[in-house]
Amino acid sequence: MKIEHLGIAVKSLQEADDLFARLLGKENYKHESVEREGVITSFYNVGDSKIELLEASNPESPISKFIEKRGEGIHHIAFGVDNILDEIERLKGLGFVFISEEPKDGADNKRVVFLHPKCTNGVLVELCQEK
Ligand code: ZN
């Protein structure tokens, strides 16, 4: 596993893009909307990892709910894996609980699943595999 990216929930992608472009000294390499998840994302390369900024695209979006409850900030940590189905089986066998055990299409050409934060010290953990 490696840290593939950190997801950061933001209220305004435009404002956050301005800030992160200045902070990192480079522009994002893509914007991508994931309508099923109710998010618009912006990705930055940082060494071997990435930053994923997440803005809600509707009031029912998990990102809207996260920001209402906890404000802007780190939303999830994503571990890149070579075989997501094997990792799901391995972690299920160790008692980890998934929000959904079926990998879905995520942003940035990935198959993704999320572990329930109740079983990971309150941190939302994403597993992702390059498609
Ligand atoms: Zn992510």
Side-chain angles (χ1 to χ4, degrees):
M1 282 196 199
K2 63 167 189 171
I3 296 179
E4 214 282 332
H5 64 269
L6 290 177
I8 300 177
V10 303
K11 287 181 186 165
S12 161
L13 202 53
Q14 195 181 337
E15 285 176 23
D17 267 333
D18 283 349
L19 187 145
F20 274 84
R22 274 182 285 144
L23 177 67
L24 300 172
K26 61 174 141 189
E27 299 295 318
N28 68 341
Y29 69 89
K30 72 155 74 172
H31 276 144
E32 185 176 345
S33 177
V34 185
E35 204 42 58
R36 187 177 39 73
E37 300 290 339
V39 297
I40 308 166
T41 64
S42 177
F43 281 91
Y44 295 80
N45 281 310
V46 184
D48 290 336
S49 302
K50 296 163 190 164
I51 296 288
E52 174 186 34
L53 303 179
L54 300 144
E55 180 191 67
S57 60
N58 68 66
E60 297 309 306
S61 164
I63 296 301
S64 305
K65 290 173 182 158
F66 179 89
I67 289 176
E68 261 170 43
K69 264 197 228 163
R70 298 167 69 167
E72 293 182 299
I74 292 182
H75 176 261
H76 65 271
I77 180 166
F79 295 113
V81 300
D82 292 332
N83 186 324
I84 199 165
L85 297 176
D86 284 355
E87 281 302 318
I88 292 168
E89 284 311 308
R90 185 180 74 83
L91 294 172
K92 270 167 63 183
L94 294 172
F96 287 91
V97 178
F98 287 80
I99 291 175
S100 159
E101 290 176 11
E102 188 68 29
K104 295 177 187 170
D105 287 342
D108 207 28
N109 198 41
K110 298 283 193 299
R111 299 286 288 160
V112 303
V113 285
F114 289 92
L115 279 83
H116 201 289
K118 275 181 192 163
C119 72
T120 47
N121 291 83
V123 177
L124 180 61
V125 171
E126 171 186 331
L127 301 180
C128 62
Q129 179 188 351
E130 197 86 30
K131 272 200 261 181

